[in-house]
Amino acid sequence: MALRRKKGRHKRRIRSSTKRNIFIICALLILFSIYGIYTSVFEKKIEEKEQVIYKYSNKYQQQYQVELKDNKYMEEESLNKEQLYVTDLIKKLKVNLNYIYEGTNPEKINCTYSVIGKLQSTYSSNGKEEEIWNKQYVILEPKEKNTTENTLEINENLDIDLKQYNELVNDFIEKMQMAITTKLYIEFNTNITAHVNGEMMLDQYTNRLEVSLGDKVTKIVGDEEDSKEKEVNKKIQVTKEGNKIVAVISSVVLIISIYVMIKVQKETR
């Protein structure tokens, strides 16, 4: 009994309420630490993530040349681009179009393409331009092209009889006695289907050349070159790794809390 009393004298006296509060705080810290360790190490979180599964590009280039009728005014047989042309001297419009579709490792590329002419006329009524005439022509019948390579290329040469369209517009103006503004849109259209990992990637591309009609001079406007890059994204589920920092901090807090509880229990009374 004497030895027990001697041993107990070395313990520090502490209020029971204080000791109880220390134990409660340490217990709460232990619970939170265990939860932190579990969620950061053992619990796997699944989240949705956007991932690029396919990339592709459309590249388009067009060149045109205006061929003239035999005339006593101009010695040239053809004229340069981006200028005004005397309508009555134009024989035809020659257009070369080149289109390239390129994808990242497709299994197959299918393409349907065509060229159409859209004749559109507007009339000014009360200061407002309104469309009154719309006529469509097939300049190039639909064609198909396929490849198992990464690149699909289309190259076409077109001869467009502008005289035919101008005569039609002038006849309309004369018969209807209307002052109209008319343009011919030469429109290149493609429908692309690329097969990638068992899935079909669809795309459409359109480019057009604008030709003014029914006037003394003809103006041609259009993008000589065009390039577009696109990508296809898909939502996938990924397993998120646990937070190592949280795991380390939780472990340290857990050890300290247990140590404090043991120390308070042994060294206080």
Side-chain angles (χ1 to χ4, degrees):
M1 292 297 293
L3 289 174
R4 289 180 185 175
R5 284 198 300 270
K6 186 177 181 181
K7 187 177 180 180
R9 291 196 192 99
H10 297 293
K11 290 186 178 182
R12 296 178 59 186
R13 296 177 64 86
I14 189 173
R15 289 185 179 183
S16 60
S17 59
T18 303
K19 188 173 184 178
R20 183 173 63 251
N21 290 336
I22 292 173
F23 275 33
I24 291 173
I25 292 171
C26 289
L28 290 174
L29 290 174
I30 289 171
L31 290 175
F32 281 117
S33 300
I34 293 172
Y35 176 77
I37 294 170
Y38 175 78
T39 55
S40 58
V41 177
F42 300 102
E43 189 179 58
K44 301 297 181 182
K45 293 183 179 179
I46 306 298
E47 64 178 15
E48 285 191 341
K49 184 180 179 182
E50 288 278 349
Q51 186 179 56
V52 178
I53 60 172
Y54 185 58
K55 289 184 178 181
Y56 63 95
S57 64
N58 294 297
K59 294 180 181 178
Y60 183 79
Q61 185 178 28
Q62 64 184 7
Q63 296 179 340
Y64 64 86
Q65 190 177 57
V66 176
E67 289 196 357
L68 302 178
K69 302 174 186 176
D70 291 333
N71 66 89
K72 62 182 181 180
Y73 307 107
M74 297 183 182
E75 296 180 357
E76 299 93 337
E77 293 182 357
S78 61
L79 297 178
N80 296 327
K81 297 178 293 181
E82 298 179 358
Q83 66 180 68
L84 291 176
Y85 311 98
V86 179
T87 302
D88 288 342
L89 298 182
I90 295 176
K91 180 180 179 181
K92 63 180 176 180
L93 175 65
K94 300 188 73 173
V95 180
N96 170 262
L97 56 87
N98 182 265
Y99 169 76
I100 298 174
Y101 176 93
E102 186 174 2
T104 52
N105 302 320
E107 297 152 15
K108 186 179 180 181
I109 302 173
N110 299 329
C111 176
T112 303
Y113 67 96
S114 64
V115 179
I116 60 173
K118 291 184 177 180
L119 200 63
Q120 293 181 358
S121 294
T122 58
Y123 178 75
S124 180
S125 176
N126 296 323
K128 182 180 179 183
E129 292 286 334
E130 295 185 12
E131 185 178 306
I132 60 167
W133 188 22
N134 190 319
K135 194 173 178 65
Q136 187 165 299
Y137 299 86
V138 176
I139 295 176
L140 180 67
E141 293 285 348
K143 291 185 177 182
E144 290 186 5
K145 193 166 186 179
N146 307 310
T147 183
T148 54
E149 304 294 329
N150 293 346
T151 302
L152 182 143
E153 183 174 4
I154 296 169
N155 194 284
E156 293 284 351
N157 291 302
L158 308 172
D159 287 342
I160 300 168
D161 186 3
L162 292 184
K163 180 183 175 183
Q164 168 195 348
Y165 298 109
N166 270 307
E167 287 177 350
L168 181 64
V169 173
N170 288 328
D171 184 65
F172 182 92
I173 293 172
E174 184 179 346
K175 296 287 179 58
M176 302 301 166
Q177 294 295 304
M178 297 178 68
I180 60 174
T181 301
T182 306
K183 293 180 180 178
L184 173 67
Y185 296 100
I186 302 165
E187 193 169 273
F188 170 72
N189 297 304
T190 64
N191 289 292
I192 298 283
T193 303
H195 299 263
V196 182
N197 297 325
E199 295 188 51
M200 291 191 300
M201 308 297 172
L202 305 178
D203 185 54
Q204 292 181 326
Y205 179 81
T206 298
N207 198 297
R208 66 184 187 178
L209 200 62
E210 178 186 304
V211 183
S212 60
L213 296 176
D215 205 348
K216 296 296 182 183
V217 292
T218 297
K219 187 176 182 181
I220 301 173
V221 179
D223 293 330
E224 187 174 342
E225 293 184 1
D226 184 33
S227 180
K228 295 178 180 178
E229 293 185 356
K230 299 180 181 179
E231 60 184 32
V232 179
N233 296 324
K234 186 177 181 180
K235 287 185 177 181
I236 60 170
Q237 289 187 336
V238 295
T239 302
K240 189 177 180 181
E241 292 291 332
N243 194 321
K244 294 181 179 180
I245 296 176
V246 173
V248 170
I249 294 174
S250 298
S251 299
V252 172
V253 172
L254 177 64
I255 294 170
I256 293 174
S257 299
I258 294 173
Y259 173 78
V260 170
M261 290 181 74
I262 294 172
K263 189 173 181 65
V264 170
Q265 178 64 25
K266 285 186 174 182
E267 297 183 4
T268 62
R269 62 187 179 91

